[in-house]
Amino acid sequence: MILSEPQRIVADDKTRFRCLVTGRRFGKTTLAIRELCYEARQPGRLVWYVAPSYRQAKQIAWVQIKKLLQDLRWIKKINEAELTLHLKNGSRICLRGADNSDSLRGVGLNLLVMDECADIDEQAWTAILRPTLSDTGGRALFCGTPKGMNWFYDLYQQGQNSDNDHWKSYQ
């Protein structure tokens, strides 16, 4: 997957929590799909892409990621109803919506990509999704367009703090 130079800078950063705040047409979805596939190339991984709603997850990323992985012949099984790709190496890539946040509980994730974060309720991250990364030491990529001073803005500010080596922000 070919990335632009700004996308490559974010992709090459191994910081545990990365926050990407950009306008339209930066290629956030392309970068998100690359990150999901890059993590899922390792056997037995569970990676999630979470959008504000299930419908948005399907509209934004499902067709692109499914086509890419079909072309690469990585897919063992596709579950259209659950937006889940079971890979030949035992990894799973799942697309989810934060509109039913209780359905996001109880898993251990190796990578979480949250897209359009400013449109997701903060509790979906703090109370539900953050704990899914604890057991695995999983990483997260937060993407979105700026929408004022909200929890997504606060995440961005954490990555601007040079004393916090677990967070990095990009604009």
Side-chain angles (χ1 to χ4, degrees):
M1 180 171 271
I2 299 171
L3 299 177
S4 68
E5 184 58 29
Q7 290 169 323
R8 171 70 47 209
I9 290 169
V10 177
D12 288 345
D13 186 343
K14 300 307 176 204
T15 304
R16 186 169 184 207
F17 300 110
R18 294 166 295 157
C19 186
L20 175 62
V21 180
T22 67
R24 296 180 47 109
R25 311 309 309 157
F26 173 84
K28 294 183 294 288
T29 302
T30 300
L31 178 61
I33 289 171
R34 184 265 182 207
E35 291 293 290
L36 295 166
C37 295
Y38 188 79
E39 183 68 29
R41 82 191 193 296
Q42 298 177 57
R45 298 295 183 149
L46 179 57
V47 300
W48 277 15
Y49 171 91
V50 177
S53 71
Y54 183 80
R55 182 176 178 166
Q56 282 177 291
K58 187 172 187 177
Q59 286 177 326
I60 295 169
W62 182 242
V63 171
Q64 282 181 267
I65 195 166
K66 190 170 59 167
K67 168 127 179 48
L68 173 67
L69 294 180
Q70 283 175 325
D71 290 350
L72 292 171
R73 300 178 193 258
W74 284 17
I75 299 174
K76 178 179 179 182
K77 177 182 164 189
I78 299 172
N79 187 324
E80 291 282 346
E82 293 184 6
L83 300 183
T84 299
L85 300 170
H86 297 265
L87 305 184
K88 292 176 181 178
N89 68 357
S91 290
R92 286 179 294 151
I93 299 175
C94 307
L95 279 64
R96 299 289 185 259
D99 48 344
N100 181 8
S101 58
D102 282 336
S103 69
L104 305 176
R105 295 182 187 276
V107 297
L109 301 176
N110 299 104
L111 176 70
L112 168 67
V113 174
M114 291 183 73
D115 200 359
E116 295 304 337
C117 291
D119 294 328
I120 296 175
D121 181 16
E122 179 179 5
Q123 293 292 30
W125 163 243
T126 57
I128 298 168
L129 291 168
R130 174 61 182 94
T132 67
L133 300 170
S134 295
D135 293 345
T136 63
R139 299 172 64 224
L141 173 63
F142 305 92
C143 302
T145 54
K147 294 194 178 175
M149 307 283 212
N150 53 31
W151 75 275
F152 185 44
Y153 172 83
D154 295 339
L155 291 184
Y156 178 82
Q157 291 304 314
Q158 282 189 16
Q160 293 296 294
N161 180 352
S162 61
D163 295 334
N164 191 340
D165 59 354
H166 292 289
W167 286 86
K168 181 78 180 211
S169 294
Y170 296 91
Q171 185 176 18

